[in-house]
Amino acid sequence: MGRGRLPARRGFGCCVLVLLLLLGGSGSPGTRLPPRAPWAEEQEPVPEGGPWGRVRYEAVKKHLGAVGALSKQYWQYLACKVWQEGCEEEEKQRKREGEASPIPSWGFPLIGRDYLEILSAWYCSFGRCCETGDCRIINNITGLEADLSGQLHGQHLAKEVVVRAVQGFLQSPRPQKALVLSFHGWSGTGKNFVARMVASHLYRDGLKSDCVRVFVSLLHFPHHNYVDSYKAQLQRQISETLQRCRQALLIFDEAEKLHSSLLDAIRPFIVQQDSKGQQRPIFLFLSNLGGNTINEVALDFWRAGRAREEISLELLEQRLQLELQEPAENSYAHSHLLRENLIDFVVPFLPLEKQHVKLCARDAFLARGLPYTEETLDEVAQMMVFVPKEEKLFSAQGCKSVPQRINYFLP
């Protein structure tokens, strides 16, 4: 919800609160009709409306006075609960007065912290409020873990590292820096798939959320001659995204093709965190760099008769770090990302075997509501190119072209 509509929301909320205050007097406890004395019929006639008229007049007068005395503390509490604004001031006020001295009761039922909770819950029932304080952010870690387990095939390391890293970062009270994950592996092994899945489970609108920005090196920064212009543009766009969203997701595809100056331009947004821990940016770098190293390790395990699930993160991380530091191969080695250890996790994506390609084909058929058989899945897998030439073990394109391959099997 844009900030331009905030005054209207506040005005609406205030009107609702005043209306509830005025309505709270009728029939409420504490506005009982005074007992009639035995000699009452001998007294002067009561004003028009009878005793109830006098009581209601006094009640309305009392309530109007209460509305006029509506304290800043109540309004701050309501604004904090409904619009997530002024929470810091409300917290300071509560600390000054002490939790032992709660907001005093006002003597009629629709005022007090309990009833402000009811009012804010009613307002939020229209979808304008969220547990995260920002309706754009959903942080569904359970869903992320479940979908990675069911839809990401052959990547036991990526599943574990991504969930653990994201969950730990979001649960940290005051992270010292942004979370930085660097995905490495051959094309089609699932790097972009995982990035999309992270976006869809952290944000209501997924990649379309205004909390998410995706940069593709050859698309957004194609000419090294304009690197200074790109640098200013990149810093401005990141800054705008961080101002717009306290938990932003920045994705850099083909990261190995980024000029080192652009990588260094990102550095301030990674290391500079506000002291209150309000900002929680997440940076994902996707790269084909290191794919051959990862494949060699996977092939060695296969030749040794060992399961690929025995490959550890520590083993691959050490080899990947060495390759990333080779200046001739990439711009990572020239940037501060490696020199200052700003990358929290190097996430390896293993090459996919025939069994994984068949699972990708099954998912593609299911996604389109099409029937399939085991023979059909085998035929899809056989259409792919497998390497090395002797073993024909790994799909050269991973699962990248599988959704297009099933078009050959349409009725």
Side-chain angles (χ1 to χ4, degrees):
M1 187 80 60
R3 294 186 63 85
R5 300 182 62 182
L6 186 57
R9 293 205 309 260
R10 283 180 172 168
F12 171 73
C14 190
C15 290
V16 171
L17 182 58
V18 170
L19 180 62
L20 291 174
L21 293 176
L22 294 176
L23 294 176
S26 299
S28 61
T31 55
R32 298 173 181 170
L33 183 68
R36 185 177 180 87
W39 58 86
E41 55 269 3
E42 299 179 4
Q43 293 181 342
E44 295 181 2
V46 298
E48 184 178 353
W52 273 109
R54 180 189 297 117
V55 170
R56 286 174 177 167
Y57 168 77
E58 293 297 333
V60 170
K61 181 178 178 181
K62 178 182 178 183
H63 287 193
L64 287 174
V67 172
L70 184 63
S71 69
K72 179 181 178 183
Q73 186 174 0
Y74 277 112
W75 179 248
Q76 285 176 344
Y77 179 78
L78 182 62
C80 174
K81 291 294 293 181
V82 174
W83 299 292
Q84 288 77 43
E85 294 198 355
C87 298
E88 296 178 9
E89 187 64 30
E90 203 269 342
E91 180 69 19
K92 291 178 183 176
Q93 179 72 14
R94 192 163 67 245
K95 288 182 178 179
R96 282 197 296 268
E97 295 185 359
E99 287 295 336
S101 301
I103 299 176
S105 172
W106 283 36
F108 46 91
L110 286 176
I111 290 298
R113 183 167 292 218
D114 290 341
Y115 293 97
L116 287 177
E117 294 278 3
I118 295 173
L119 178 59
S120 66
W122 172 80
Y123 184 86
C124 291
S125 69
F126 293 95
R128 296 180 174 87
C129 306
C130 308
E131 292 183 3
T132 61
D134 188 333
C135 289
R136 299 168 299 180
I137 302 173
I138 57 176
N139 289 346
N140 182 11
I141 302 298
T142 302
L144 174 62
E145 185 174 13
D147 281 352
L148 286 177
S149 297
Q151 301 179 40
L152 181 64
H153 308 301
Q155 305 297 351
H156 67 285
L157 294 175
K159 292 177 185 177
E160 178 185 356
V161 175
V162 170
V163 172
R164 185 179 65 192
V166 173
Q167 185 175 33
F169 178 71
L170 296 180
Q171 291 178 349
S172 175
R174 290 187 178 181
Q176 299 300 311
K177 59 180 285 295
L179 175 64
V180 182
L181 303 180
S182 190
F183 296 174
H184 297 270
W186 265 9
S187 176
T189 53
K191 301 185 299 296
N192 279 280
F193 180 77
V194 172
R196 289 196 303 270
M197 198 168 285
V198 169
S200 65
H201 286 88
L202 296 189
Y203 305 95
R204 179 191 59 198
D205 299 323
L207 290 176
K208 295 181 180 179
S209 172
D210 55 4
C211 293
V212 180
R213 288 301 300 264
V214 179
F215 301 95
V216 181
S217 297
L218 295 183
L219 176 63
H220 295 95
F221 318 108
H223 305 294
H224 284 188
N225 292 337
Y226 301 105
V227 67
D228 290 336
S229 175
Y230 293 154
K231 182 176 179 179
Q233 175 186 342
L234 177 61
Q235 289 182 321
R236 185 186 74 253
Q237 291 176 338
I238 294 178
S239 179
E240 290 174 353
T241 305
L242 295 181
Q243 290 175 12
R244 197 164 52 235
C245 188
R246 63 180 176 82
Q247 181 187 301
L249 176 63
L250 293 309
I251 303 172
F252 294 85
D253 197 4
E254 300 176 344
E256 76 278 3
K257 297 180 176 67
L258 279 173
H259 193 280
S260 59
S261 296
L262 295 179
L263 288 172
D264 289 340
I266 301 169
R267 176 189 172 277
F269 302 101
I270 294 176
V271 299
Q272 290 182 3
Q273 286 291 88
D274 61 304
S275 58
K276 299 173 184 176
Q278 300 277 333
Q279 289 285 340
R280 294 174 182 267
I282 301 174
F283 289 81
L284 302 183
F285 294 94
L286 284 54
S287 172
N288 293 338
L289 195 66
N292 290 335
T293 297
I294 297 171
N295 293 355
E296 288 173 4
V297 172
L299 185 58
D300 289 342
F301 269 68
W302 180 83
R303 286 172 175 167
R306 301 175 64 183
R308 60 192 283 133
E309 287 74 21
E310 296 181 37
I311 300 174
S312 67
L313 177 63
E314 292 74 20
L315 173 62
L316 282 176
E317 199 170 29
Q318 292 173 2
R319 300 200 182 186
L320 283 173
Q321 289 283 359
L322 292 175
E323 183 170 345
L324 294 179
Q325 292 171 7
E326 295 178 6
E329 293 293 330
N330 65 94
S331 56
Y332 272 71
H334 299 284
S335 73
H336 291 277
L337 290 181
L338 284 180
R339 291 205 298 265
E340 298 182 21
N341 296 315
L342 297 180
I343 298 177
D344 296 294
F345 292 95
V346 174
V347 185
F349 283 73
L350 302 175
L352 299 182
E353 301 175 15
K354 183 178 179 180
Q355 58 178 321
H356 307 123
V357 173
K358 291 174 63 176
L359 291 173
C360 291
R362 180 204 63 185
D363 293 345
F365 276 108
L366 292 174
R368 297 174 64 170
L370 298 174
Y372 66 90
T373 64
E374 189 67 24
E375 291 75 16
T376 305
L377 300 183
D378 280 326
E379 289 184 48
V380 174
Q382 289 171 7
M383 297 174 69
M384 309 296 287
V385 177
F386 286 84
V387 294
K389 190 174 182 179
E390 296 78 16
E391 291 87 352
K392 296 188 181 300
L393 181 62
F394 304 132
S395 172
Q397 292 181 298
C399 283
K400 197 165 191 176
S401 62
V402 166
Q404 289 73 37
R405 302 282 182 177
I406 68 173
N407 290 332
Y408 290 98
F409 302 92
L410 295 180

